[in-house]
Amino acid sequence: MDANQHIPTPSVEALSGTEFVLIDSNAPSQVMIESAANAVKAGASVFFEPTSVPKAKQICEKDSFIKNVSYAFPNEDELFAMSKIPLEGQNAADDLEHVKHTATSLLGRMRPDSPAHVVVTLGPRGVLLASKVGGAESSVEHTVFPAEAISKVSSNGAGDTLCGAFIHALLNGADEKQAIRFGMKAAILSLQYEDGAISPYI
């Protein structure tokens, strides 16, 4: 949309006192890069919703954006596009260990010396939370949250719902694992909603 090309970059002053800043890939790349940098300078955590595989790949080709991201919410295809690890074989994305390895690699480019998290939606297999904890000697913890068996109407909006509900949960005192569980319950409502991408019952 043309309107996206005119999104301004918020200043550090405008972001002062903000706890979280959510950025998706619809804004121009330079605006995304500058907004993320300004958010970090203002003391905020940056959340990234990739939007699509081509956009995810483009913005993450260099580290100027992703180094300032604390939370990323890719699906499997977006994860591989964002990382610099090539898919090894046609079924590599179906190999959970390969997904974990790729998420760990991406975490290595996010927030040096600070905690960071990658939330990977796995479709019917659930959600993977990869968390980098500690500073220079950081370690990565992987947790898989199985999906609930449901009758899906549409997957449109499910990832956005998960991301939004996750942030809501964090703002209300939840930790990352609690926020994932809350986000997955909200996403189910959107998956089962027939008349739009996001359920109004959330």
Side-chain angles (χ1 to χ4, degrees):
M1 292 184 288
D2 289 343
N4 290 329
Q5 301 308 308
H6 301 286
I7 296 174
T9 300
S11 66
V12 176
E13 292 73 20
L15 295 171
S16 178
T18 301
E19 188 171 356
F20 298 150
V21 173
L22 173 62
I23 300 174
D24 73 17
S25 294
N26 287 315
S29 295
Q30 194 58 36
V31 172
M32 295 174 62
I33 292 168
E34 293 172 359
S35 298
N38 286 351
V40 171
K41 290 176 183 176
S45 296
V46 176
F47 290 67
F48 176 49
E49 219 299 327
T51 307
S52 72
V53 168
K55 293 178 180 179
K57 181 177 181 180
Q58 180 184 19
I59 195 62
C60 293
E61 283 181 339
K62 297 181 180 179
D63 290 342
S64 52
F65 172 74
I66 197 66
K67 70 180 182 181
N68 288 315
V69 173
S70 294
Y71 294 85
F73 289 79
N75 60 32
E76 289 175 89
D77 292 336
E78 291 163 346
L79 171 67
F80 286 107
M82 291 165 66
S83 75
K84 295 183 178 180
I85 298 178
L87 278 170
E88 299 172 358
Q90 188 174 4
N91 297 320
D94 295 326
D95 181 352
L96 185 57
E97 291 306 311
H98 192 55
V99 175
K100 289 179 179 179
H101 175 64
T102 305
T104 298
S105 176
L106 183 61
L107 280 169
R109 300 169 59 201
M110 296 166 59
R111 300 297 289 130
D113 302 325
S114 296
H117 309 270
V118 178
V119 179
V120 188
T121 52
L122 305 171
R125 291 183 292 164
V127 173
L128 167 68
L129 171 63
S131 297
K132 178 180 67 172
V133 294
E137 301 298 324
S138 61
S139 60
V140 175
E141 176 185 90
H142 301 96
T143 307
V144 176
F145 299 81
E148 182 178 330
I150 62 167
S151 298
K152 181 181 72 174
V153 174
S154 172
S155 59
N156 291 335
D160 293 334
T161 301
L162 173 65
C163 179
F166 180 96
I167 293 173
H168 174 82
L170 289 186
L171 287 170
N172 283 275
D175 61 26
E176 282 76 19
K177 292 180 181 179
Q178 292 169 331
I180 289 286
R181 295 186 181 97
F182 183 80
M184 291 178 72
K185 289 183 181 296
I188 287 174
L189 296 177
S190 287
L191 286 167
Q192 296 180 318
Y193 184 59
E194 297 180 351
D195 298 325
I198 307 294
S199 172
Y201 302 110
I202 295 172

